[in-house]
Amino acid sequence: MAEAHQAVAFQFTVTPDGVDFRLSREALKHVYLSGINSWKKRLIRIKNGILRGVYPGSPTSWLVVVMATVGSSYCKVDISMGLICCIQRCLPEGCGPYRTPQTRALLSMAIFSTGVWMMGIFFFRQTLKMLLSYHGWMFEMHGQTSHFTKVWAFCVRLLSSRRPMLYSFQTSLPKLPVPSVPATIHRYLESVRPLLDDEEYYRMETLAKEFQDKTAPRLQKYLVLKSWWATNYVSDWWEEYVYLRSRAPLVVNSNYYVMDFVLIKNTDIQAARLGNIVHAMIMYRRKLDREEIKPVMALGIVPMCSYQMERMFNTTRIPGKETDLLQHLSDSRHVAVYHKGRFFKVWLYEGSHLLKPCDLEMQFQRILDDPSPPQPGEEKLAALTAGGRVEWAQARQAFFSSGKNKTALDAIERAAFFVALDEESPHYDPEDEASLSLYGKALLHGNCYNRWFDKSFTIIAFKNGQLGLNTEHAWADAPVIGHLWEFVLGTDTFHLGYTETGHCLGKPNPMLAAPQRLQWDIPEQCQAVIERSYQVATALADDVELYCFQFLPFGKGLIKKCRTSPDAFVQIALQLAHFRDRGKFCLTYEASMTRMFREGRTETVRSCTSESTAFVQAMVKGSHMKADLQDLFRKASKKHQNMYRLAMTGAGIDRHLFCLYVVSKYLGVSSPFLAEVLSEPWRLSTSQIAQFQIRMFDPEQYPNHLGAGGGFGPVADDGYGVSYMIAGENTIFFHISSKFSSSETNAQRFGNHIRQALLDIADLFQVPKADS
């Protein structure tokens, strides 16, 4: 391995004449190759920066403009209208490369051509930004596209026809607009109307009007000013105040999990599966560094912001007493591995070459075969990342700021990502309903000390070859990690493959140095802190009830026959299920994305609407005709789709109110309205999981190649967290979380209500069979 070679590169002995250095020729060769690889990366980044910087132009287009200018000059046509002559007169005379008139003329034409080319790029970018600011296409009915939208789509395709790199569109994306205060207040009051009685609604309406007339105008001015100055008026505050300043443990409260393919199995060999997966991940990172990944495009033409992908690898959340910090490195050549209470450092490269899957399998197998016991305090060390953030920050400063502890901690925090080799073997058995839930619990928190919850993500490799991810939330949202996961699972299955015995293809190099065991010196005081953090995390984990299931009666195929969006269908079913479960409605959170804007993250769709509650109440009464119920459902679905589109196009409610609240705190302004709005509990927090963002394979040809999505913990102590993935035409996966400590919630009970609600709504649209 590279580290082993470098460690023996410079050997020395002390002699009477001084220090005698001996250099290892083989080691220096690898050091040299590593340097060459580093410079290659720098040159690639410089090249990418140039190509990205001139998009939608190109160096070739610059050459065309120069040749056109020179050609017109030889034809005695001055397309510059005298500008070239002006430039020529400004050039210094009589020395250097400018001494001949011909050279001066050519240089003047090159300068003029470059100016024209750059002005063209600026014009095209501004035009593309203006075009991407149009979102009317989202509000048009399917199959009823207007002529204006068709012309708009043609222009967008024309301006972005050249093959874009990952970040090519970043400077052409529009900024997230700041909604007007009256519009936000109106939408907010509309969203809470079905949740409040007349007296409560009148009180909230009074607070809102007072805020709108007296406090909001001043706050809005500062927010508009920030929107002019900053790239995105929400994202930096959202990251800081919602994630990094939170002092609550990450486990259950913030981190989420992602599942493996659950209906197929590539191999039962733990080290082999991990070898392929880690190799595929570093292949993805290399594509990311080279910007070879295609931007995600809505409708195939509207680019999504890619900035969240920058911190996917080599990123760690560093604890602080008041606020955490996201530490991101430009590169990392190793991964940190945990197994049976021991930490290891595994290099990913030998010299400048990425290790083959079979070499990585051998390295992970060496760790699995290592019989050495954990050092004192080492086994539960990662519990520090699962407990309170203040306690972890204090312990990090007191016990990990110097010596071997700092060196070992650096190896973990500077790793590309974290790997956990588990001794358990959870998997999904369709005949065992509890199996998927147990698999989800293992990914969500494990035993609370076998995941490094601060890393951007942890790969969990189980003993049976099953995999999963536990992901820190501050650096990005779930669709971003989903993009990586789709690539990795597709590459593992369709490109890397396995031998007949389940091992990685190829022959490993037995001369590779073994993984490096990390060394710790953890005093008893630190061990006591670790134990307290472990107890805190265990209490959180033990309180989580997780119920995961696969809904098999139908998927998006049947839902589309109901002439509604699959997401609206499921969201209305959740409202019906919740009312049957709790006998009342609640404030409902559905995450939508705002990535059509630069550095956009998420916005909230308040799914509990007057239209959805009217449908639910009619369903529960059971006295309405089917045609009336269908009409109520379509109204609720249309309302939900419109709210989702408003959220995606920057006209949401909650991010605007959140930013107004932050401004009020900076200014020391008290607002009873904002204080109440920001303290309202989300007793039903929901999220749909993105899938098939990249076409690694045809899902119709491989219908069983399905991941089961992922999930998260409940947001409110007496509420539910619901994550769902509409996985193809015929199935939906659900992940439902609640807390055992709440007497009002039960995840499995709610899951059964969801099943029944889906079936009841689908039954409304069943076409009766013709008489035979």
Side-chain angles (χ1 to χ4, degrees), residues 49-219:
I50 294 170
L51 294 176
R52 184 189 340 116
V54 302
Y55 189 88
S58 67
T60 304
S61 65
W62 173 81
L63 189 60
V64 169
V65 175
V66 172
M67 290 176 67
T69 305
V70 173
S72 66
S73 176
Y74 279 105
C75 295
K76 307 300 183 183
V77 177
D78 186 8
I79 62 173
S80 73
M81 300 177 67
L83 280 176
I84 291 177
C85 292
C86 291
I87 295 171
Q88 190 169 351
R89 285 196 298 268
C90 294
L91 293 176
E93 298 180 11
C95 63
Y98 315 113
R99 57 174 170 256
T100 66
Q102 294 83 359
T103 304
R104 289 163 58 80
L106 285 172
L107 184 59
S108 301
M109 286 184 276
I111 293 173
F112 169 78
S113 302
T114 302
V116 170
W117 179 67
M118 292 179 69
M119 286 179 63
I121 290 170
F122 177 79
F123 172 77
F124 282 126
R125 278 189 180 177
Q126 293 304 114
T127 305
L128 185 57
K129 182 180 287 190
M130 181 182 67
L131 290 169
L132 294 176
S133 299
Y134 168 71
H135 301 118
W137 60 272
M138 290 192 67
F139 297 89
E140 295 179 348
M141 296 294 291
H142 183 68
Q144 299 179 10
T145 307
S146 67
H147 292 299
F148 182 87
T149 297
K150 289 178 181 177
V151 173
W152 165 84
F154 173 78
C155 293
V156 172
R157 285 194 179 98
L158 187 65
L159 288 177
S160 57
S161 58
R162 194 170 73 81
R163 184 180 177 183
M165 302 175 72
L166 178 61
Y167 303 117
S168 291
F169 291 112
Q170 290 301 96
T171 54
S172 298
L173 293 174
K175 288 188 176 184
L176 183 69
V178 181
S180 70
V181 172
T184 298
I185 295 296
H186 172 75
R187 284 193 286 267
Y188 169 78
L189 291 173
E190 188 180 33
S191 75
V192 298
R193 186 65 188 96
L195 305 174
L196 305 175
D197 59 31
D198 291 342
E199 184 179 342
E200 290 172 329
Y201 180 75
Y202 176 76
R203 185 184 68 85
M204 184 55 73
E205 193 177 37
T206 303
L207 284 175
K209 185 170 180 8
E210 181 184 7
F211 170 74
Q212 179 179 326
D213 294 341
K214 296 181 179 179
T215 311
R218 183 186 174 197
L219 305 181

Side-chain angles (χ1 to χ4, degrees), residues 8 45 48 345 385 406 447 449 456 475 497 613 635 714 719 726:
V8 298
R45 285 172 182 163
N48 289 346
K345 181 177 183 179
T385 68
K406 183 179 188 305
N447 61 17
Y449 60 78
S456 54
W475 64 274
T613 56
K635 287 179 179 177
I726 304 170

